[in-house]
Amino acid sequence: AIEGIAAGVALCSQRVVVSTRGGALYCFGAKSDALLEAPTRPASPAVVRPGAEESTDWSARVVSLAEEYVTPRFGSTAGYALVAGADKVPLVIALCEQTDFAVVVVDDDPALVERLRNLLFQQGLYDSRCTVHAIEPGQLPLADYCMNLVISPRGVVGESEARWSRDELLRVVRPGGGVAWLDDGEAPVVRDALPGAGRWVHQYGNP
């Protein structure tokens, strides 16, 4: 018998394991002196955090970008940020540590995605605020106008080949102040309001 309400049931090595809503685990099966060995998770490849100098440089860039372009328009760095490419690890770390954005990283290289996930997990940064996804190049699986900030590593460092077109990246930038940093050597692009958009000044409107 168990105490509480069963929440889940699993069958393993001729035993039945029951979890309860209270968090308790019960194991039912024939008596045996042999101990069950818990399955081991394959070791993740070693990942080294970028050097302090490189991380500091990216932190300074992100802080400057937020102070000059994002905060004056939205009042904070809360919102959503998209990084198109998982190869610039210090950039993602800086966004997680220096802003309040929920950071979404996309890349078409599964190896780079796994590498970035492992590093962020080791640093305690891979959570509900930062996720990394492997997707095919072409069209992003995102709704229009959903990102406050979009950054392409190709744009800010001029090294990687673009996985997604400029138009596709701009498609997901929020109108009325959303920022896209796409071109190396050029200032970030600030998206204007949509043509014909009005301004709501009544209840629930921004001051």
Side-chain angles (χ1 to χ4, degrees), residues 5-192:
I5 300 175
V9 179
L11 179 64
C12 178
S13 300
Q14 299 183 345
R15 289 171 172 79
V16 176
V17 180
V18 181
S19 64
T20 70
R21 293 184 179 179
L25 291 176
Y26 295 86
C27 182
F28 301 95
K31 292 184 178 180
S32 173
D33 294 331
L35 296 177
L36 293 177
E37 293 185 4
T40 58
R41 182 179 181 179
S44 300
V47 181
V48 180
R49 180 168 180 153
E53 182 177 347
E54 187 180 10
S55 295
T56 301
D57 179 59
W58 277 109
S59 294
R61 292 191 192 192
V62 168
V63 169
S64 176
L65 177 69
E67 289 180 348
E68 184 174 355
Y69 290 94
V70 179
T71 304
R73 291 170 174 80
F74 300 116
S76 70
T77 55
Y80 294 91
L82 172 70
V83 179
D87 46 345
K88 297 303 171 187
V89 175
L91 166 62
V92 179
I93 291 177
L95 281 171
C96 292
E97 293 182 339
Q98 303 296 330
T99 76
D100 296 319
F101 283 122
V103 182
V104 179
V105 184
V106 295
D107 203 293
D108 62 335
D109 187 333
L112 286 177
V113 168
E114 184 65 18
R115 173 176 175 267
L116 180 57
R117 283 174 177 168
N118 289 334
L119 189 146
L120 293 173
F121 182 79
Q122 291 174 13
Q123 301 300 325
L125 298 174
Y126 194 73
D127 53 21
S128 59
R129 271 198 58 226
C130 184
T131 56
V132 188
H133 305 275
I135 65 172
E136 294 296 325
Q139 184 173 0
L140 294 165
L142 298 170
D144 296 348
Y145 317 138
C146 62
M147 293 290 167
N148 299 79
L149 173 65
V150 173
I151 298 180
S152 168
R154 177 180 181 274
V156 293
V157 297
E159 294 178 1
S160 305
E161 290 298 324
R163 284 98 162 171
W164 295 274
S165 69
R166 178 186 179 89
D167 289 344
E168 178 61 13
L169 293 174
L170 288 175
R171 177 182 67 81
V172 301
V173 178
R174 168 186 166 171
V179 179
W181 196 5
L182 306 179
D183 294 318
D184 186 27
E186 295 184 10
V189 176
V190 179
R191 183 160 191 168
D192 295 331

